[in-house]
């Protein structure tokens, strides 16, 4: 009973905290025309999000009916509640095995023309190493992968956490960065699949670096 109560209470606190931080914050969006075309035309896409960004990603994409792949761990129970409270949906399970039930459910969601989200280095890392599930989903559905990352001009970084998680401070500026959509060819041999995995991983890291650089630039301006 205690655990059920905490699974209900803690996400509620997190959601209200995020809304409060959002009300005090500014937002700087780094985007691109190909992604904007997908969004305007209501085409499906796959957000690929490093685990360091799982806290505020549901808030930043609230009301979009994004299907988020969430692990069946205890931590996943809390994330699941937050995702739903921000108007998105979830699929519980792991993407580490291409034939998994969870991955198949994500593919079905995408085929309905709805967006999905993966944390390809979750749930336990290693950080910033892309696991193959997101590549398999994009390959089967022919839906593009959109690298996503946010950094804040003022934030706490949880140094002891394996993913160095970001927690925004009040009165911060969010830098919300979207990389260009990436399509995965349907027919790939093993070597080509691995090359594609590395290509998407590099694009995600580059998108992360872009967000960090802009957040640092804004921080310097705010500190003057």
């Amino acid at each position: 009973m205690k655990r059920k109560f905490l699974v209900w209470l803690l996400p509620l606190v997190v959601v209200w905290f995020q809304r409060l931080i959002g009300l005090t914050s500014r937002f700087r969006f780094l985007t691109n025309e190909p992604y904007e075309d997908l969004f305007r035309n209501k085409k499906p896409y796959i957000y690929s999000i490093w685990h360091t960004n799982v806290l505020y990603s549901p808030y930043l994409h609230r009301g979009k009916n994004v299907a988020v792949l969430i692990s069946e761990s205890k931590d996943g129970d809390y994330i699941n509640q937050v995702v739903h409270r921000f108007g998105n949906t979830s699929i519980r399970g792991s993407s580490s095995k291409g034939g998994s039930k969870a991955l198949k459910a994500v593919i079905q969601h995408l085929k309905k023309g709805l967006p999905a989200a993966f944390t390809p280095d979750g749930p336990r890392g290693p950080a910033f190493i892309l696991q193959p599930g997101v590549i398999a989903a994009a390959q089967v559905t022919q839906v593009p992968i959109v690298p996503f990352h946010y950094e804040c001009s003022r934030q706490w970084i949880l140094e002891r956490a394996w993913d160095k998680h970001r927690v925004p401070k009040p009165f911060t500026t969010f830098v919300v960065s979207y990389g260009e959509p990436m399509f995965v060819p349907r027919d790939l041999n093993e070597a080509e699949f691995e090359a594609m995995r590395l290509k998407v991983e590099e694009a995600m890291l580059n998108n992360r670096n872009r967000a960090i650089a802009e957040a640092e630039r804004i921080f310097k301006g705010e500190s003057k």
Side-chain angles (χ1 to χ4, degrees):
M1 288 297 295
K2 180 180 178 181
R3 173 168 168 72
K4 287 183 179 180
F5 177 71
L6 289 176
V7 169
W8 173 82
L9 177 63
L10 292 182
L12 185 63
V13 173
V14 168
V15 166
W16 280 106
F17 176 78
Q18 290 189 16
R19 292 188 186 279
L20 179 62
I21 294 293
L23 288 172
T24 70
S25 301
R26 297 180 179 181
F27 296 85
R28 168 88 166 92
F29 291 91
L30 307 179
T31 187
N32 56 80
E33 192 61 31
Y35 167 69
E36 293 294 337
D37 283 343
L38 286 172
F39 189 75
R40 279 195 300 265
N41 295 316
K42 298 182 179 180
K43 299 289 186 180
Y45 44 82
I46 302 170
Y47 286 130
S48 195
I49 305 166
W50 293 127
H51 200 273
T52 189
N53 273 173
V54 297
L55 181 60
Y56 268 78
S57 291
Y59 171 82
L60 293 169
H61 298 107
R62 55 196 182 277
K64 290 186 178 180
N65 197 21
V66 179
V68 183
L69 186 60
I70 301 173
S71 74
E72 294 179 318
S73 66
K74 291 181 180 179
D75 288 346
D77 292 342
Y78 296 102
I79 297 169
N80 184 59
Q81 291 293 321
V82 173
V83 165
H84 282 266
R85 289 179 184 276
F86 279 122
N88 293 301
T89 187
S90 62
I91 295 168
R92 304 300 298 273
S94 171
S95 66
S96 59
K97 296 182 180 180
S100 71
K101 182 179 178 181
L103 184 57
K104 289 179 180 178
V106 172
I107 289 170
Q108 290 302 313
H109 184 85
L110 289 165
K111 286 182 175 180
K112 294 176 183 178
L114 298 169
F118 281 72
T119 51
D121 60 344
R124 300 186 182 278
F128 310 124
I129 300 297
L130 188 137
Q131 297 174 13
V134 65
I135 305 298
Q139 182 182 25
V140 170
T141 59
Q142 291 299 283
V143 168
I145 297 170
V146 177
F148 170 81
H149 193 82
Y150 71 82
E151 293 284 332
C152 293
S153 60
R154 301 174 189 274
Q155 60 188 1
W156 293 285
I157 298 177
L158 306 185
E159 295 291 349
R160 293 187 178 183
W162 67 266
D163 62 352
K164 300 295 187 289
H165 209 89
R166 271 64 175 149
V167 180
K169 294 182 178 181
F171 305 101
T172 190
T173 297
F174 280 80
V175 177
V176 184
S177 184
Y178 297 91
E180 291 200 10
M182 304 179 70
F183 286 88
V184 177
R186 189 180 298 277
D187 297 317
L188 295 174
N189 59 34
E190 186 174 343
E192 291 168 338
F193 187 96
E194 173 61 11
M196 193 71 212
R197 187 192 69 79
L198 292 172
K199 183 178 180 180
V200 174
E201 181 178 281
E202 182 181 18
M204 289 188 65
L205 291 171
N206 289 340
N207 188 55
R208 173 176 178 262
N209 291 337
R210 179 171 73 153
I212 291 173
E214 181 65 9
E216 289 176 348
R217 185 191 68 79
I218 292 172
F219 175 74
K220 290 177 182 178
E222 292 174 342
S223 300
K224 289 182 179 179

